[in-house]
Amino acid sequence: MNHNPAHNLALEEMDKACLLHPATSIADHLANGPRIMAEASGVHVTDTRGNRFLDGAAGLWCVNVGYGRKEIVEAVNAQMSRLPFFHSFTSMSNEPSIRLGDKVLRWAPEGMSKVIFGSGGSDANDTNIKLVWYYNNLRGMPDKKKIISRDRAYHGVTIGAGSLTAMPVYHQKFDLPLPQIRYTRSVDMFRDKPADMSEPDYSKLLAGELEKLILSEGPETVGAFIAEPVMGTGGVLPPPEGYFQEVQAVLDKYDVLMIADEVICGFGRLGARFGSEFYGIRPDIMTMAKGLSSGYLPLSASVINDRIWAVLEETAPQMASFGHGFTYSAHPACAAAALANIEILERENLVGNAAKMGALLKTRLKETIGDSPIVGDIRGEGMMIGLELVKDRETKEAFDLSLKTAGKVQAKGYENLILVRTLPHRDVIAMSPPLSMTEENVEALVAGVKASVDAVADAYKADRLIA
Ligand code: PLP
């Protein structure tokens, strides 16, 4: 019998005895234990040892309005007392979900038509895959099922979403991906775009590769393309100029749906309501999560446009019920949290603040560490910034990944009381602070990042790892 009397242990030991942590090396976790967060307020989070960090990651790219928002807590409390749960199966409904559906459509780009809620970005992307398949079956195109994702993409971890994710660690030993998923080259202006090529030409090149892939698979077999407006976990990679216009021209030509995964970019992170708005994307389907509720309660949404809805509506009389949805597809308390969250975004114009503070953050990072011997690139839009660390700025030579250079900067960040994240592919430090950051918060984050980067650069110089 494998019975662990975890309750007799100190909290950190209890964690190791009880929990399996996502995206964590099991070996490292058992050796080093957890960092346990205890409370938070504004843009700061305090751990159980009393360290108060400036959260430069907004949790996991999600606490867009910052912590400790009483309005959200009160809205959830009131809803919990009134109606803590009801479902949306068989035409059941509840007021917060209805009002949130309406609000989401008001926020979404023109032409978006219907919302189905879920609990997280992964299940929403699984819903989206099923919606593509359902739509094409309904309109008599049962072969049009393949979905094209991009190298290094992260779209979640469920069986469908995990297949859209294009990182070995999320596939290996899990028997993924599903056979219907294909991948095309990702955007990467730092490492992949030839120096003498313009951004519009690079966009054309990538869209041309997508077209070739669609043609080689057979357009009658390709149902959708999925992309984040700015790729997040894959490296904080913004698209080159004109990318989505070129890509959408190809998708239109072959009747392929565009899925915009707005899980990170949505609800203001780029300094626009959605990445689709920021880049002029015309999505057929949108994935929303994270900033929808600022992570206060689990919530996601799949949003379809008029074109898809028209087919669902037209064929409805011949169909039995729409056979998809979750127990929590209209959770009233989660919807109440999201409504209060969006009200804060609107009232405090946090989308505008994200544009302003994001620009300041990027500028100040460039001014303070742009010349660091280990900083190769500082990129991103709004409150989504990536810092790529390199061994050689001239050649862009990367550090050996086993050195865990970004991890070292992150660890120095803990000492400097800032939280930033590392990404799985290469040495990129990701920053995605709450949209409510003030100028003073930005300066504090920049100072913490600079101190952490400098400390690693100095140590590498001393060890002769860099010149
Ligand atoms: N899509 C994107 C772009 C994400 O960044 C994430 C999570 O980080 C997901 C989907 C999956 O969301 P979740 O972890 O809520 O399932």
Side-chain angles (χ1 to χ4, degrees):
M1 195 169 76
N2 180 12
H3 178 68
N4 254 319
H7 53 277
N8 289 332
L9 301 171
L11 206 53
E12 290 179 16
E13 289 306 311
M14 206 188 285
D15 175 295
K16 290 200 279 180
C18 298
L19 298 183
L20 183 55
H21 285 259
T24 302
S25 148
I26 292 176
D28 285 355
H29 187 72
L30 292 177
N32 304 324
R35 181 177 297 275
I36 306 171
M37 296 304 173
E39 55 184 50
S41 169
V43 299
H44 292 94
V45 186
T46 307
D47 70 13
T48 44
R49 297 178 174 192
N51 297 302
R52 185 170 175 267
F53 301 101
L54 200 172
D55 187 3
L60 205 48
W61 327 79
C62 60
V63 189
N64 286 14
V65 296
Y67 299 92
R69 294 290 195 162
K70 295 273 181 297
E71 305 93 311
I72 301 181
V73 177
E74 281 160 15
V76 171
N77 261 337
Q79 187 56 46
M80 285 284 196
S81 304
R82 199 177 307 124
L83 179 73
F85 173 76
F86 217 78
H87 63 88
S88 55
F89 280 48
T90 57
S91 288
M92 291 294 177
S93 205
N94 61 71
E95 184 171 345
S97 300
I98 298 167
R99 293 205 182 284
L100 182 61
D102 178 68
K103 181 63 105 181
V104 164
L105 292 176
R106 284 175 199 279
W107 265 58
E110 230 185 285
M112 302 313 288
S113 180
K114 292 286 178 292
V115 183
I116 178 164
F117 292 112
S119 303
S122 301
D123 67 63
N125 274 329
D126 268 42
T127 293
N128 293 342
I129 294 172
K130 287 182 71 181
L131 282 166
V132 171
W133 292 351
Y134 193 68
Y135 165 76
N136 279 328
N137 283 331
L138 288 179
R139 60 186 194 128
M141 298 183 154
D143 295 331
K144 212 166 166 56
K145 296 290 167 52
K146 289 175 194 159
I147 307 208
I148 300 179
S149 179
R150 301 184 297 173
D151 298 336
R152 300 204 297 272
Y154 186 88
H155 295 294
V157 294
T158 43
I159 290 177
S163 297
L164 299 173
T165 290
M167 299 184 190
V169 72
Y170 293 99
H171 289 175
Q172 281 164 4
K173 309 269 189 262
F174 287 113
D175 293 357
L176 293 183
L178 290 172
Q180 296 93 333
I181 311 300
R182 299 289 180 275
Y183 309 95
T184 189
R185 195 180 351 170
S186 192
V187 297
D188 187 345
M189 287 199 277
F190 180 59
R191 289 210 172 272
D192 186 47
K193 182 179 87 57
D196 57 354
M197 185 181 275
S198 71
E199 287 190 30
D201 283 348
Y202 181 50
S203 294
K204 281 197 180 73
L205 176 84
L206 297 175
E209 285 191 12
L210 173 65
E211 179 165 23
K212 265 192 216 137
L213 178 60
I214 293 173
L215 287 171
S216 71
E217 294 292 332
E220 70 289 353
T221 71
V222 180
F225 168 78
I226 183 165
E228 287 180 86
V230 172
M231 185 178 268
T233 307
V236 188
L237 298 162
E241 193 188 328
Y243 173 77
F244 282 106
Q245 284 62 35
E246 296 287 346
V247 161
Q248 290 220 256
V250 172
L251 302 181
D252 289 347
K253 195 163 157 192
Y254 300 106
D255 186 23
V256 173
L257 297 172
M258 169 78 210
I259 307 173
D261 184 336
E262 296 267 7
V263 168
I264 293 176
C265 296
F267 295 95
R269 180 142 303 281
L270 301 186
R273 288 182 168 205
F274 290 100
S276 294
E277 181 185 308
F278 192 82
Y279 290 114
I281 303 169
R282 291 174 285 106
D284 295 293
I285 302 180
M286 297 172 81
T287 323
M288 304 178 188
K290 297 193 189 277
L292 169 60
S293 62
S294 281
Y296 276 62
L297 284 177
L299 187 66
S300 62
S302 293
V303 187
I304 55 171
N305 70 358
D306 298 334
R307 167 185 176 186
I308 298 177
W309 173 247
V311 171
L312 267 64
E313 191 178 27
E314 197 186 302
T315 52
Q318 295 96 57
M319 297 297 295
S321 54
F322 174 65
H324 182 78
F326 308 101
T327 301
Y328 302 133
S329 278
H331 196 292
C334 298
L339 277 169
N341 169 60
I342 297 173
E343 268 163 35
I344 295 170
L345 289 171
E346 288 175 347
R347 193 174 61 240
E348 298 184 8
N349 185 22
L350 292 185
V351 179
N353 195 58
K356 227 165 88 188
M357 291 302 124
L360 179 67
L361 176 58
K362 195 158 72 173
T363 303
R364 293 290 295 128
L365 285 169
K366 285 186 174 170
E367 284 170 3
T368 54
I369 51 168
D371 291 336
S372 161
I374 63 167
V375 171
D377 193 28
I378 299 172
R379 57 180 177 253
E381 290 296 344
M383 289 294 211
M384 194 172 170
I385 304 289
L387 197 70
E388 181 147 353
L389 306 172
V390 291
K391 187 171 181 188
D392 187 319
R393 287 161 57 94
E394 288 304 308
T395 62
K396 300 185 183 176
E397 184 189 346
F399 286 112
D400 190 328
L401 278 184
S402 65
L403 280 172
K404 298 190 177 170
T405 304
K408 290 189 170 96
V409 172
Q410 182 186 41
K412 283 286 166 199
Y414 297 140
E415 289 172 24
N416 292 309
L417 298 179
I418 55 155
L419 298 180
V420 292
R421 281 179 48 74
T422 58
L423 302 178
H425 273 300
R426 50 200 212 207
D427 284 316
V428 175
I429 294 287
M431 278 161 269
S432 58
L435 313 188
S436 53
M437 293 276 281
T438 61
E439 277 182 35
E440 200 182 309
N441 296 149
V442 169
E443 290 302 336
L445 179 58
V446 170
V449 171
K450 177 175 165 42
S452 308
V453 167
D454 285 352
V456 173
D458 289 347
Y460 277 15
K461 257 188 222 156
D463 291 345
R464 300 190 190 284
L465 280 166
I466 53 172

